[in-house]
Amino acid sequence: MPAPPGGGKGVEHVDIDARTLRTFREVTLTGSFTQAARRLGYSQSSVTAQMRALERQVGEPVFERLPSGVRLTRTGTVLCDYARQILTLVGEMEAALRRPAANPPRMTVGVVPALAYGQQLARLTHIGRRLLSGVQLALRVMGTGEIHDAFRAGTIDGALVLTVADADDHLAALPGALADPLRAERPDDLTEVRLQEVEFAPVIGIAARSRGPAAAGRQVVIADPDCPSQRWLPEFLRLRSDGPPEIHELGSMAGVRAAAQSGLGCAMLPMALAASPREAGGLRPLPGVPRMRWNASLVSARGDDRPALDWENLAETLRQATALACAVPAGEEPEGTAVSALGPDQGLAS
């Protein structure tokens, strides 16, 4: 975007209204004027006009145009930090003026089992208390296949789900089996904001692996049959053997991990579970199967009448909590665990 006329050196006062800051914040979250307009219910020309007026106020470009969207300039990054603080204060003011303190509004968010493990739900709650001021965050663990029904019934406001990452070589090799049902069947009144890529590792119990590589892939333990991260491993093994593996569905990642540890079968675990010796004792990499990544995304209803700031802060809550879950602390990758021993180029033994 070209520099606004007049330059920024002579600007002494900046008078930016909250509506423009909310639009600016939505563009920074989506990386696109078009997507920001869609989520806010504006026309793209309205968003473009607001951002040009914002740059005139600031005196410098705040966005750099790219073929795939926009990204913040140095000035835009500074403005983004202050915009978040200002909008948080505005939200607190709105809550104090309009919402009864004894009955805060509730945002109910469905979380698929593959992202509801260990300390993840606690992280969501702690970060939500800080960022979602005046809003009660209610988390509901539900299968991917239940998400649409929950939206139709009005029992959830949003959902934290896993969707297929674009341009993934391993997924491209299995196009028919690994279609993302949530994305393919998503009605027009739902929208998706990608938050963070989450890596999963294929693991097997030590006792099961000792029986040989052929036996290792005959049984698979999963948490959610409609989740891309859980459907991938059985399909990968089916296409590389003489028949489909036996599948055990347990409904939670804690159950999947425990079943794999006990030798019931192999499993696809998020790295937060597969990398930590405290969480994944007795587990080893499944030979010949690569680690994979999926997108953690916030799915929400279009045209929701909640304040835009609530959605922005919910997206930021989910993004921060997921990013923390993806981080493997120093010293948590001892030799022989799924993280250090797994190689992406191993061939699956028959």
Side-chain angles (χ1 to χ4, degrees):
M1 182 177 291
K9 302 305 182 182
V11 175
E12 296 181 358
H13 303 287
V14 177
D15 184 14
I16 306 171
D17 60 77
R19 176 175 178 268
T20 299
L21 287 178
R22 288 191 177 106
T23 302
F24 168 73
R25 178 68 178 146
E26 194 65 37
V27 174
T28 66
L29 290 173
T30 61
S32 165
F33 284 9
T34 302
Q35 292 185 40
R38 187 177 298 119
R39 282 189 56 81
L40 293 170
Y42 299 155
S43 65
Q44 182 177 348
S45 61
S46 174
V47 171
T48 300
Q50 289 184 57
M51 295 303 94
R52 285 176 176 169
L54 173 64
E55 291 189 317
R56 285 194 295 270
Q57 283 282 327
V58 173
E60 295 182 26
V62 297
F63 290 114
E64 177 184 353
R65 286 192 177 277
L66 302 171
S68 58
V70 295
R71 67 182 177 191
L72 290 170
T73 63
R74 182 192 63 80
T75 298
T77 301
V78 173
L79 178 61
C80 183
D81 292 337
Y82 282 102
R84 181 180 300 172
Q85 297 177 53
I86 292 169
L87 290 174
T88 298
L89 289 173
V90 171
E92 291 176 358
M93 179 186 69
E94 292 174 345
L97 292 174
R98 301 177 185 176
R99 299 168 177 169
N103 187 28
R106 177 193 295 260
M107 292 189 81
T108 303
V109 178
V111 183
V112 293
L115 294 173
Y117 52 86
Q119 296 300 313
Q120 178 71 345
L121 296 179
R123 291 187 189 97
L124 288 168
T125 300
H126 284 301
I127 297 173
R129 287 182 62 188
R130 174 168 53 85
L131 296 181
L132 287 163
S133 177
V135 177
Q136 180 182 351
L137 179 61
L139 303 175
R140 300 285 184 269
V141 180
M142 58 179 58
T144 303
E146 301 175 79
I147 297 296
H148 284 319
D149 291 339
F151 274 117
R152 282 193 290 267
T155 56
I156 60 173
D157 301 297
L160 178 61
V161 303
L162 284 170
T163 58
V164 172
D166 292 333
D168 192 300
D169 293 339
H170 297 297
L171 292 175
L174 305 170
L178 298 174
D180 182 350
L182 190 63
R183 179 175 296 170
E185 300 171 7
R186 181 172 302 145
D188 292 338
D189 58 349
L190 296 182
T191 186
E192 173 190 343
V193 176
R194 295 185 180 183
L195 305 170
Q196 173 81 28
E197 282 196 348
V198 181
E199 187 172 21
F200 283 70
V203 296
I204 190 85
I206 295 175
R209 185 177 173 182
S210 67
R211 294 196 291 268
R218 289 176 182 167
Q219 299 187 81
V220 184
V221 191
I222 66 172
D224 178 0
D226 298 308
C227 180
S229 74
Q230 301 300 285
R231 295 173 60 215
W232 187 87
L233 182 57
E235 188 62 24
F236 182 94
L237 297 174
R238 182 187 72 81
L239 294 177
R240 284 157 175 76
S241 64
D242 55 0
E246 181 180 355
I247 297 176
H248 305 280
E249 182 183 344
L250 300 184
S252 74
M253 295 311 293
V256 168
R257 180 188 63 210
Q261 288 169 324
S262 71
L264 180 60
C266 58
M268 206 72 171
L269 291 182
M271 290 296 286
L273 297 183
S276 170
R278 293 194 301 269
E279 299 281 4
L283 292 176
R284 291 295 183 270
L286 181 60
V289 184
R291 285 182 282 184
M292 295 294 298
R293 289 179 177 269
W294 285 271
N295 290 314
S297 299
L298 168 61
V299 177
S300 59
R302 297 186 191 276
D304 191 281
D305 58 0
R306 293 177 182 272
L309 181 63
D310 286 352
W311 287 111
E312 293 169 8
N313 287 340
L314 175 61
E316 187 62 24
T317 294
L318 301 179
R319 180 181 288 106
Q320 289 188 22
T322 306
L324 287 173
C326 291
V328 180
E332 288 283 282
E333 300 185 12
E335 184 178 359
T337 67
V339 172
S340 60
L342 188 61
D345 299 322
Q346 296 167 290
L348 183 65
S350 58

